[in-house]
């Protein structure tokens, strides 16, 4: 099967490319660095020729509210048009568990806009809602830092390793479209502030973590259910300690 992975050079994209190639599929890792740009449309029609499945694993270079919305809307429209022209039979995308519960987050609003375009495109689809990747912990800490203090939500979340996410993306890509959303999450539920503190400790980062139930997560206040997947979610196997012991991270 010919599969095009938009964002195939990114964290989840590159791991998904590897898994599908191992299964014997013809996989194109498409991104601006390989001449395929979903914003300008450059290289898109050529990339999608004779393609059965498109997996969109791209991310916006900017997380600023207006920029991220423009990114996912423009990319979504360009992709739908090109996929329709090419006769693509399955569009797979990766979004975020709880996106629909957190309207105050500009980033998650942009992901919902991406999802709406997929659902109305007329192309059979599967949307995977994932929880936060362990690899995103430094980003969570950075976005919550002022001076030497990291003020982070004490709400529960259920982070997942990128390897577990890529396993799911590779499975979903070769299964029939569900024309709906499936949820995935990590094996353990924990407080975001506790894990950020543990992570900073383990990387010898001297910033102080302040747990605050009202701290905003990318613009949205969380409750204990906001970021946690529902019953029936597919759960990853890799626990935090195991992930950390293999992660290639800057240790201070
Ligand atoms: N972080 C989390 O915890 C989390 C949780 C749930 C869902 N997600 C979703 O997971 C997806 C993948 O995230 P990630 O962390 O793997 O991304 P990433 O590592 O930041 O990679 C982003 C990819 O997007 C590509 N890209 C950027 N602009 C593009 C454009 N105009 N056209 C085509 N490709 C473009 C990049 O290509 P170049 O290498 O050429 O720049 C790169 O391959 C995102 O959609 C995100 O919303 C993330």
């Amino acid at each position: 099967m010919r599969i095009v992975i938009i964002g195939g050079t990114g964290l989840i994209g590159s791991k998904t490319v590897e898994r599908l190639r191992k299964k014997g599929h013809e996989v194109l890792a498409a991104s601006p660095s390989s001449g395929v740009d979903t914003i300008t449309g450059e290289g898109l029609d050529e990339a999608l020729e004779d393609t059965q499945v498109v997996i969109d694993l791209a991310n916006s270079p900017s997380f600023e509210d207006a920029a991220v919305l423009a990114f996912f809307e423009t990319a979504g429209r360009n992709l739908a048009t090109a996929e329709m022209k090419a006769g693509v039979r399955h569009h797979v995308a990766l979004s975020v568990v709880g996106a629909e519960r957190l309207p105050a987050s500009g980033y998650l609003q942009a992901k919902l806009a991406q999802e709406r375009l997929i659902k109305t495109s007329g192309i059979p689809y599967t949307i995977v809602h994932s929880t936060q990747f362990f690899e995103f912990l430094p980003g969570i800490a950075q976005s919550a830092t002022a001076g030497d203090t990291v003020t982070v939500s004490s709400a529960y979340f259920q982070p997942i390793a990128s390897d577990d996410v890529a396993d799911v993306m590779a499975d979903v890509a070769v299964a029939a479209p569900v024309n709906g959303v499936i949820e995935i999450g990590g094996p353990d539920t924990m407080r975001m502030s506790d894990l950020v503190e543990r992570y900073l400790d383990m990387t010898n980062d001297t910033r102080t973590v302040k747990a605050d139930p009202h701290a905003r997560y990318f613009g949205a206040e969380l409750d204990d259910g906001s970021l946690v997947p529902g019953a029936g979610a597919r759960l990853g196997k890799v626990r935090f300690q195991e992930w950390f012991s293999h992660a290639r991270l800057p240790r201070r």
Side-chain angles (χ1 to χ4, degrees):
M1 195 187 300
R2 179 174 158 87
I3 301 171
V4 171
I5 304 191
I6 305 291
T9 53
L11 173 68
I12 306 298
S14 56
K15 289 173 186 259
T16 307
V17 167
E18 195 185 302
R19 283 158 173 74
L20 286 165
R21 281 190 183 147
K22 265 195 194 140
K23 289 187 190 184
H25 298 288
E26 180 194 345
V27 184
L28 176 71
S31 75
S33 51
S34 69
V36 183
D37 191 321
T38 54
I39 299 302
T40 63
E42 185 199 344
L44 204 48
D45 287 342
E46 297 82 344
L48 295 194
E49 261 173 42
D50 300 319
T51 296
Q52 285 82 50
V53 177
V54 171
I55 315 177
D56 185 5
L57 296 171
N59 209 352
S60 171
S62 164
F63 281 19
E64 187 273 319
D65 286 1
V68 76
L69 182 64
F71 179 87
F72 282 114
E73 285 191 332
T74 308
R77 282 196 197 99
N78 288 342
L79 267 173
T81 304
E83 287 178 30
M84 201 49 107
K85 215 189 292 178
V88 167
R89 297 204 294 259
H90 189 184
H91 178 94
V92 179
L94 182 56
S95 189
V96 185
V97 163
E100 68 288 354
R101 294 191 281 265
L102 297 167
S105 163
Y107 184 83
L108 295 179
Q109 282 306 300
K111 293 299 289 182
L112 286 183
Q114 176 192 20
E115 291 187 36
R116 276 193 297 275
L117 286 165
I118 293 167
K119 288 173 182 170
T120 55
S121 68
I123 298 158
Y125 67 92
T126 304
I127 296 171
V128 177
H129 272 194
S130 171
T131 57
Q132 288 60 48
F133 314 150
F134 286 133
E135 286 81 356
F136 194 44
L137 279 170
I140 294 176
Q142 196 49 48
S143 72
T145 296
D148 255 351
T149 306
V150 185
T151 306
V152 68
S153 173
S154 51
Y156 281 111
F157 76 153
Q158 199 169 321
I160 184 168
S162 59
D163 280 323
D164 281 333
V165 179
D167 284 346
V168 173
M169 300 316 294
D171 287 351
V172 164
V174 296
V178 304
N179 295 314
V181 175
I182 63 167
E183 285 193 324
I184 63 172
D188 301 300
T189 304
M190 53 196 110
R191 295 200 179 276
M192 188 182 279
S193 46
D194 288 347
L195 191 64
V196 169
E197 188 166 34
R198 195 169 158 205
Y199 173 80
L200 294 185
D201 251 14
M202 291 165 79
T203 51
N204 301 319
D205 190 314
T206 55
R207 284 177 286 176
T208 306
V209 172
K210 187 175 157 220
D212 177 353
H214 303 295
R216 289 179 175 264
Y217 175 75
F218 292 93
E221 194 171 314
L222 306 175
D223 65 36
D224 280 343
S226 304
L227 296 179
V228 174
R234 175 169 158 176
L235 300 186
K237 293 184 284 293
V238 181
R239 305 202 119 90
F240 174 71
Q241 185 62 49
E242 184 194 345
W243 169 79
F244 187 85
S245 65
H246 294 108
R248 271 182 252 120
L249 297 165
R251 308 278 203 275
R252 291 196 189 183

